[in-house]
Amino acid sequence: MKRQIKLYILLAILGLVMVSPASADGWIFGANTGTMNIDDPDVSDPRNIGFMAGYEVGIGIGDLAFEGEITRTASDGDLFGRAVKVETEALYVALRTAGPIYFKGRVGTLQETIRIQTLPSGTDSGSSFSIGAGFSLGLVQLELDLTRIETDITYLSLGVVF
């Protein structure tokens, strides 16, 4: 009897870890945190958190997804004693390769707002892209991602997608 229970537990764990290609289609959600790296020696970089929602379709070589992402500053950066925030809203087309260890690429459009305390905020929009790698743990994926916000700002983040 104990052997059967162990076998059922092992089968349940394997069922969680192994995901069939048929289940790849559907809604995905994620969260990430990281540093907005500003290419200016006078600025200490703010830390952000982000949330993503999208729809993913299996295409044989991996998964194609349409994603919307919002990031907000969780810990302000600093410029000569003034708080610095970088906040973004973006729409992406993403491709994740197949496999438990995979690569990820995204291209899309992004709008960022930079706020420096006591100065007028600046908003800009344009194209954005990112590259990353991930590790799949069944239905949950851990991802390390580098996103180009603009020519002098990149967002290095660690996230989870489910």
Side-chain angles (χ1 to χ4, degrees):
M1 186 68 165
K2 285 185 180 183
R3 187 172 182 188
Q4 278 184 325
I5 293 172
K6 288 180 184 178
L7 179 62
Y8 291 139
I9 292 172
L10 178 62
L11 288 174
I13 291 171
L14 287 174
L16 289 173
V17 173
M18 303 301 288
V19 179
S20 72
S23 68
D25 293 356
W27 291 102
I28 57 174
F29 301 94
N32 61 54
T33 185
T35 303
M36 285 289 177
N37 297 302
I38 301 171
D39 190 18
D40 185 336
D42 296 326
V43 178
S44 68
D45 299 326
R47 296 216 20 106
N48 279 36
I49 58 171
F51 300 97
M52 180 271 296
Y55 191 81
E56 185 174 66
V57 178
I59 59 168
I61 61 169
D63 297 322
L64 183 67
F66 300 95
E67 301 176 353
E69 182 180 69
I70 295 172
T71 68
R72 295 294 182 252
T73 300
S75 175
D76 295 347
D78 183 77
L79 175 65
F80 304 120
R82 295 181 175 139
V84 176
K85 298 175 186 280
V86 178
E87 299 177 341
T88 66
E89 297 87 28
L91 295 173
Y92 293 107
V93 174
L95 177 66
R96 291 173 179 84
T97 61
I101 297 175
Y102 60 91
F103 296 99
K104 171 186 165 185
R106 298 188 302 179
V107 295
T109 184
L110 176 136
Q111 177 175 306
E112 93 267 356
T113 302
I114 300 171
R115 292 185 171 91
I116 301 173
Q117 185 179 13
T118 70
L119 296 176
S121 61
T123 300
D124 194 13
S125 60
S127 62
S128 176
F129 63 89
S130 74
I131 57 172
F135 181 72
S136 182
L137 299 167
L139 298 176
V140 176
Q141 300 164 336
L142 301 175
E143 295 184 345
L144 180 64
D145 194 65
L146 180 65
T147 303
R148 180 190 172 273
I149 304 300
E150 63 175 50
T151 56
D152 59 349
I153 301 175
T154 56
Y155 180 47
L156 180 61
S157 64
L158 179 62
V160 62
V161 176
F162 50 95

